[in-house]
Amino acid sequence: MSCAAVRRRLAGLDAQVLEVVNDPARGETRHFLKGLSLLRSKERDEMTFYAHGKGVTHRGLKSLIMQSWSEAMYAMNLSCVDDVERLMRRHDAAGCFRQELSHGGSRWHFSGTFFWFKHSAVFSRDWRKISRGRYGVEGYLGRHIPIAKSVSLTPYRHFVDLYGHVITRGECRRWRQDLRRR
């Protein structure tokens, strides 16, 4: 979708579209801090949801798998906003598929890079620290927020085979039900 099309879809909303040149070597990491600087505040009640294009370079079955994974992450982060808000009263970050695995310059991350974070937790630190590589954004929260202050919206701890299967709507439904009980 072109930036013009995105702007048309967001017309009438309080939204700003930033158009940047893609950097294949660094991906979203190159422009992340610039965008984050526009949100900078230390207000305790402010949170940001971050997501990015997922699976746009894949074809065939891998594309279907990535699409199902992306849909699951949107569903878990945005269809359950009341549950996320409740969990964020006790945590500084929330997202799907949390991994205790060194990646992107951190000891833990939300695989897929769809996550929520409290402004007070990130901007009260040296928030400009980021791994300069391609996976810098994926590891960003793990550099700034202890894992104990994060919560996974999905039950997976280690999901080596997640890229290997389509996530069904039934799985997402079960995950949302589990989330409501937490």
Side-chain angles (χ1 to χ4, degrees), residues 41 61 107 170:
S41 85
L61 178 59
R107 296 176 141 191

Side-chain angles (χ1 to χ4, degrees), residues 88 91-94 106-110 115-123 125 139-151:
M88 289 292 282
H91 299 89
D92 292 336
S106 70
R107 296 176 141 191
W108 71 271
H109 66 281
F110 292 116
F115 53 71
W116 291 89
F117 66 89
K118 286 183 183 174
H119 288 204
S120 59
V122 168
F123 294 118
R125 294 175 166 79
Y140 182 78
L141 290 183
R143 292 178 71 109
H144 300 280
I145 296 173
I147 193 168
K149 295 295 289 174
S150 72
V151 61

Side-chain angles (χ1 to χ4, degrees), residues 71-89:
E71 287 173 4
M73 289 187 291
Y74 275 118
M76 294 305 297
N77 279 285
L78 299 177
S79 295
C80 310
V81 174
D82 291 339
D83 296 313
V84 170
E85 189 173 25
R86 178 178 44 78
L87 290 167
M88 289 292 282
R89 290 185 198 126

Side-chain angles (χ1 to χ4, degrees), residues 96-111:
C96 296
F97 311 121
R98 186 179 67 191
Q99 296 286 309
E100 286 186 62
L101 181 69
S102 292
H103 183 64
S106 70
R107 296 176 141 191
W108 71 271
H109 66 281
F110 292 116
S111 287

Side-chain angles (χ1 to χ4, degrees), residues 12-47:
L13 300 176
D14 184 17
Q16 182 177 1
V17 177
L18 302 177
E19 187 173 356
V20 296
V21 176
N22 183 39
D23 180 344
R26 292 186 58 211
E28 63 195 306
T29 302
R30 179 172 178 205
H31 303 287
F32 181 72
L33 293 179
K34 179 182 178 184
L36 205 56
S37 71
L38 299 172
L39 304 172
R40 189 175 175 199
S41 85
K42 295 180 184 174
E43 297 297 322
R44 296 191 57 74
D45 63 342
E46 288 186 1
M47 297 186 306

